[in-house]
Amino acid sequence: MAKLEPVSGYYYLWEYVPSMAASIIFLTLFFAPTLFHVWMAWKTHALFCIPFIIGGVFEVIGYAFRAACTNATANLILYILQSVFILLGPVLLAASVYMVLARLIRSVGAEKYSLVRITWLTKTFVTGDIVSFLVQGQGSGLMATDGLENIAKGIVICGLVIQIFVFGFFIVTCMVFEKRMKRAPTSEVPYTHHLYPLYAVSWLIMVRSIFRVLEYAMGQKGYLLVNEWPLFVFDAVPMVSVMVIWGYWHPGSIQQESTLRLD
């Protein structure tokens, strides 16, 4: 029978026995859309979706390790691996999200409506995403070092805050583009078909990142870490939703050159 065991002395990695059933459910929920995204990326030649697919793979691996932790609550390696993969998966999902906006703007010939110069648009947000990924990855790695747990959490929080600010600016950039397009359209292409899903996945990742900041800020004995359900409700469910929305309104169909431009 699964039970909590100390990793050393009286130090416990977990505040509860992680649910194997819930982990397997979410593993499956991530696995199915990840396969679908692999097929869609191949079908539409959407290479910019590769980070998104890798993010899905990270989620699958993360929940697989989490399921294994149910009967190994004292296993430090499994604990770190499940934490790292689940933490970093959304950063990779975000990378592909950032790449879509420039593609969408170009498809309607509205480069002049971009808040950031179009040639720098993707580079700006992806660079921010890479910085966030590296910072969070560094913090996650330090969690395995005795005496550096608090420093590690602080580093992870910094990485998450970077992601929140980058996403905030990204959403503002989307809103400015939409406002300018409505005021003086450059194309008859229904760009909102992809823009609104872009808003949806952006807000979902934003909510998840805010949850993670609160989780780490509240500490090991905080409510969000003492209970398991918040992770599933505010992290797993939003990320599964991101993958489903992204699949239903797949950006691979965006055409780089449109014959319906008004200019």
Side-chain angles (χ1 to χ4, degrees), residues 137-210:
Q138 179 66 26
S140 299
L142 289 176
M143 287 182 181
T145 306
D146 291 336
L148 295 180
E149 294 88 352
N150 290 332
I151 294 176
K153 289 179 180 179
I155 293 174
V156 170
I157 290 174
C158 286
L160 289 166
V161 169
I162 290 172
Q163 186 176 37
I164 290 171
F165 275 110
V166 172
F167 249 116
F169 183 44
F170 178 75
I171 292 173
V172 169
T173 303
C174 290
M175 293 173 67
V176 169
F177 161 65
E178 181 185 14
K179 181 178 179 180
R180 291 173 176 175
M181 273 294 289
K182 286 183 176 179
R183 186 170 56 216
T186 60
S187 171
E188 294 179 355
V189 173
Y191 66 94
T192 55
H193 179 75
H194 290 291
L195 183 62
Y196 291 162
L198 203 58
Y199 280 136
V201 298
S202 296
W203 280 112
L204 284 168
I205 297 177
M206 174 83 83
V207 168
R208 175 264 175 192
S209 297
I210 292 173

Side-chain angles (χ1 to χ4, degrees), residues 4 6 8 15 24 62 78 102-103 128 154 197 221 237 242 250 261:
L4 280 179
S8 63
E15 297 296 327
I24 291 175
L78 285 178
R103 185 181 179 90
K221 297 298 181 179
V237 170
V242 165
H250 197 273
R261 292 181 183 176

Side-chain angles (χ1 to χ4, degrees), residues 27-41:
L27 183 160
T28 304
L29 290 175
F30 278 112
F31 183 74
T34 297
L35 283 182
F36 177 77
H37 283 291
V38 170
W39 177 71
M40 284 298 295

